[in-house]
Amino acid sequence: MNYSLFSSESVCAGHPDKLCDQVSDAVLDAAISADPQSRVACETLVTTNKLVLAGEITCSQKLNYKKIAKKVISDLGYTQDIYRFGPQTDIEVYIHEQSKDIAIGVDDGGAGDQGMMFGYAANETPELMPLPITLARELVQSMDLLAKKELPFLRPDGKSQVTVRYENGKPTFVEKIVLAKPFDPKTDKEEAKNNLYNLAILPVLEKYKLPKVKIDDVIFNGTGAWEIGGPATDTGVTGRKIVVDTYGGMGRIGGGCFSGKDPSKVDRSAAYAARFIAKNLVAQGLADRCEVQLAYAIGTKYPVGKAVETFGTAKENQKAIEDYAWGLLDLSVGGIVKYLDLLRPIYQKTAQYGHFGHPEFPWEKLV
């Protein structure tokens, strides 16, 4: 770790891109619930009073796409006309079955596409995640919870950014925090900032045993005002937050997003397997930081390439580390799906606050 400062950002669950991810994954969950062997590649786009679903889905049962999307919209708090997105939103659906050319390879256990996937872990937090993205994620989650309870003047959408000081490769303290959250203009901006400082920022820093940040080192709504967020002010599309979804820029990312894709798509399942391997390597004390790369070709069952990088933090020789890594699970597409038990409706939740670092997900378990 050569950076002296490192910044990562995260976004609230109501951010337009994340809204799209959640709709796409809610469709995936519905398809898997109806038929575990469903093939899903679902994209969502949102703008002012408009939601468009498109993609390729093969499922033995008919799905009510509009009903699924409307529930996600409502659950995220888009329930008022002032947001220009909500119950009145027009929903268009353009979905057809998966290409037979792709199905030929996938139905036999092959990867649904080519590509490379990365998994990362570091001993900076109990979750074995990088500290900057962990703090950024915790802050947006806290803001969303406060909006439902103590601070009802907060509105859907929002972002965070955290800059962490590193010394000798280890995080030491937080230098700067940036928060953005739309809120009712009847509430004074300084009052909103003070509430977020006391109820979100300080508890998160205390949770990770970090020194307090001065309120002067917190930027809140940098343009001065933000009343209305969501799709009416920022068009959203599935798959545009893959750095937020993963490691906040500290670990590499692959070529594809996760949301809206069933586990036959290695963009998703192999990225989960790579995180599982990296986390277990660090948890076993074989390295302080670890990155695992996997690569697949469409229609092939096993990776065409795999590698482990420990950035000079290894505690054992490379052969011992690789022997441990590749012995953890069968890296065929079917092997990953079976070992991590991925044919379950668990995906909508992954589209909020990142796919990694949450102990309830099977790729986060330790052997």
Side-chain angles (χ1 to χ4, degrees), residues 8 100 106 126 161 166 197 235 249-251 261 291 309-310 322 348 351 359:
S8 293
K100 290 183 171 58
V106 175
Q161 184 172 290
Y166 281 77
Y197 177 76
T235 298
M250 193 169 286
K261 298 178 180 178
E291 185 176 77
E309 171 61 62
T310 55
E322 291 180 355
Q348 185 180 347

Side-chain angles (χ1 to χ4, degrees), residues 184-223:
D184 190 327
K186 294 176 184 177
T187 299
D188 179 74
K189 180 186 174 184
E190 287 305 310
E191 177 187 350
K193 178 179 179 179
N194 286 331
N195 274 297
L196 290 174
Y197 177 76
N198 288 301
L199 298 178
I201 292 173
L202 294 183
V204 168
L205 295 177
E206 183 179 356
K207 176 180 178 180
Y208 288 91
K209 298 180 174 58
L210 291 164
K212 289 183 180 180
V213 171
K214 295 178 182 178
I215 195 167
D216 290 342
D217 289 325
V218 176
I219 298 172
F220 176 60
N221 286 1
T223 63

Side-chain angles (χ1 to χ4, degrees), residues 75-334:
D75 288 347
L76 289 174
Y78 288 102
T79 56
Q80 300 181 41
D81 290 342
I82 191 175
Y83 300 145
R84 291 178 289 152
F85 187 86
Q88 77 281 10
T89 292
D90 178 53
I91 298 175
E92 298 181 22
V93 179
Y94 304 96
I95 288 176
H96 55 89
E97 289 194 348
Q98 183 184 56
S99 161
K100 290 183 171 58
D101 293 337
I102 295 176
I104 290 172
V106 175
D107 291 344
D108 192 36
D113 202 352
Q114 70 178 51
M116 70 289 187
M117 303 83 209
F118 292 92
Y120 184 87
N123 61 2
E124 297 181 9
T125 65
E127 301 89 350
L128 300 184
M129 288 284 288
L131 183 62
I133 186 62
T134 299
L135 297 176
R137 182 188 69 198
E138 293 266 354
L139 287 171
V140 291
Q141 188 169 9
S142 180
M143 287 198 293
D144 282 348
L145 290 173
L146 289 168
K148 295 177 181 178
K149 297 178 181 179
E150 294 96 326
L151 305 179
F153 57 81
L154 298 177
R155 292 173 168 175
D157 205 349
K159 303 178 80 172
S160 69
Q161 184 172 290
V162 179
T163 300
V164 174
R165 169 70 64 179
Y166 281 77
E167 296 176 0
N168 299 318
K170 300 292 183 182
T172 53
F173 61 91
V174 174
E175 287 227 348
K176 189 73 78 173
I177 291 175
V178 181
L179 297 182
K181 186 75 172 166
F183 65 93
D184 190 327
K186 294 176 184 177
T187 299
D188 179 74
K189 180 186 174 184
E190 287 305 310
E191 177 187 350
K193 178 179 179 179
N194 286 331
N195 274 297
L196 290 174
Y197 177 76
N198 288 301
L199 298 178
I201 292 173
L202 294 183
V204 168
L205 295 177
E206 183 179 356
K207 176 180 178 180
Y208 288 91
K209 298 180 174 58
L210 291 164
K212 289 183 180 180
V213 171
K214 295 178 182 178
I215 195 167
D216 290 342
D217 289 325
V218 176
I219 298 172
F220 176 60
N221 286 1
T223 63
W226 191 15
E227 296 180 15
I228 305 297
T233 55
D234 183 13
T235 298
V237 180
T238 298
R240 287 205 303 197
K241 287 292 177 284
I242 55 178
V243 175
V244 168
D245 281 343
T246 53
Y247 309 102
M250 193 169 286
R252 292 177 179 88
I253 55 174
C257 74
F258 305 149
S259 290
K261 298 178 180 178
D262 73 81
S264 73
K265 280 75 170 173
V266 284
D267 281 338
R268 179 166 225 155
S269 54
Y272 292 164
R275 162 64 179 173
F276 173 75
I277 293 169
K279 183 176 181 180
N280 274 277
L281 279 167
V282 173
Q284 287 292 323
L286 296 174
D288 294 335
R289 291 195 297 133
C290 178
E291 185 176 77
V292 172
Q293 183 191 33
L294 303 173
Y296 290 79
I298 190 168
T300 63
K301 295 182 181 180
Y302 290 91
V304 296
K306 54 187 181 180
V308 181
E309 171 61 62
T310 55
F311 309 98
T313 70
K315 311 302 179 184
E316 297 286 346
N317 63 58
Q318 186 69 13
K319 184 179 185 305
I321 288 173
E322 291 180 355
D323 287 347
Y324 180 82
W326 311 137
L328 282 169
L329 76 162
D330 175 3
L331 286 172
S332 67
V333 179

